[in-house]
Amino acid sequence: MSSILTNNGAMVALQTLKGINANLTKAQNEISTGKKVANAQDNAAVWAISKVMESDQAVFKTLQSNLNLAAAVVTTARDGAEDIRDLLDEMRRLASSAGSDANDFATVNEQIVEKRNQIISTIDGTQMNGVNLLKTNPIGTATSFSVLASLDRTAGTAVTTAQTITVNSVDFEADIEGATITTITDSTTARTAVGEIEALLDIAKTGAAELGTAAKRINDQSNFVSKLADSLTAGIGAL
């Protein structure tokens, strides 16, 4: 029934116009922000999930940088360990050459001493950003070096579990620098020195292998974290 006080047609038209304006405002917001859900008012559940994912994505980018630095630290130590192994191999050849009584033992011993001094310099100088995995204490009083590798989130909660990668010192400072090598004065002492140097070669080889394995693990984790960050970015976009 019509009334001179109420214009039903105008009311319907006004409601329709308000709906059009609301949809237009929503479309403009989506265009300007690039997001269907730009704030908690748009969709509280999706917004909350996306914010957690955005936080995790930013953290993983930081973790990747830390892992790359850690990989450089371990790779530097591995390079030093391999150089020390090469120097020990040269020392063994020198000692072996003195296995005959017809040798200048003093000269051979002097060369071995110089090689050993070079090994000590390598052990002391093989550091990256203040961390030296060839020494007894790589940093401070610690006997190992660790890096945060991941933050694993428990589903439905804000709780995360830190996962770290720890690399132990190979301790060339004690095992190689501190080792005794017999002074070569004749063929008998030369043969004794060969055995001692061979034992040090085994230590250097094992240490270099351990550092190489650790560097590979850190690099693999860095690649995984990078892919995970990209996946989170794609997931946020989908939300």
Side-chain angles (χ1 to χ4, degrees):
M1 181 175 179
S2 299
S3 169
I4 60 173
L5 299 178
T6 304
N7 188 333
N8 291 327
M11 291 173 61
V12 171
L14 182 60
Q15 291 298 325
T16 301
L17 181 60
K18 288 172 65 178
I20 291 172
N21 285 337
N23 289 333
L24 180 60
T25 299
K26 181 180 179 182
Q28 288 175 333
N29 287 336
E30 290 180 7
I31 292 171
S32 63
T33 63
K35 298 177 181 178
K36 184 177 180 180
V37 180
N39 53 57
Q41 182 176 324
D42 295 331
N43 187 319
V46 169
W47 178 84
I49 294 170
S50 69
K51 287 304 169 185
V52 172
M53 292 174 68
E54 283 181 1
S55 176
D56 286 347
Q57 190 266 354
V59 168
F60 283 130
K61 286 294 185 183
T62 302
L63 290 181
Q64 186 185 7
S65 296
N66 289 337
L67 286 164
N68 290 338
L69 178 58
V73 168
V74 180
T75 298
T76 298
R78 189 214 70 214
D79 289 339
E82 291 177 357
D83 286 346
I84 289 169
R85 189 227 168 263
D86 292 341
L87 288 166
L88 285 167
D89 196 38
E90 293 174 16
M91 289 170 63
R92 180 176 61 176
R93 289 198 298 269
L94 285 166
S96 298
S97 72
S100 166
D101 290 333
N103 269 285
D104 185 347
F105 300 113
T107 300
V108 170
N109 189 73
E110 183 180 344
Q111 289 177 294
I112 289 176
V113 169
E114 287 302 314
K115 296 290 183 186
R116 181 167 186 172
N117 289 338
Q118 180 58 41
I119 287 174
I120 293 171
S121 295
T122 301
I123 291 173
D124 292 342
T126 303
Q127 61 85 26
M128 173 74 176
N129 201 32
V131 181
N132 190 336
L133 286 165
L134 302 187
K135 296 180 77 68
T136 305
N137 303 113
I139 182 169
T141 58
T143 57
S144 62
F145 165 73
S146 63
V147 58
L148 182 61
S150 180
L151 288 175
D152 300 337
R153 184 174 297 282
T154 303
T157 73
V159 178
T160 58
T161 302
Q163 302 292 340
T164 61
I165 295 176
T166 300
V167 183
N168 293 323
S169 162
V170 293
D171 202 2
F172 285 2
E173 184 178 22
D175 296 337
I176 294 179
E177 182 178 336
T180 299
I181 297 177
T182 299
T183 301
I184 296 177
T185 57
D186 52 33
S187 59
T188 301
T189 52
R191 288 190 289 270
T192 301
V194 168
E196 293 166 344
I197 294 169
E198 284 180 343
L200 298 182
L201 261 169
D202 188 61
I203 293 172
K205 178 189 67 178
T206 301
E210 290 175 357
L211 292 169
T213 300
K216 181 66 167 61
R217 181 187 176 191
I218 293 172
N219 279 324
D220 288 346
Q221 181 66 16
S222 176
N223 291 334
F224 168 72
V225 167
S226 175
K227 292 177 182 177
L228 188 56
D230 290 342
S231 296
L232 286 171
T233 300
I236 293 166
L239 287 174

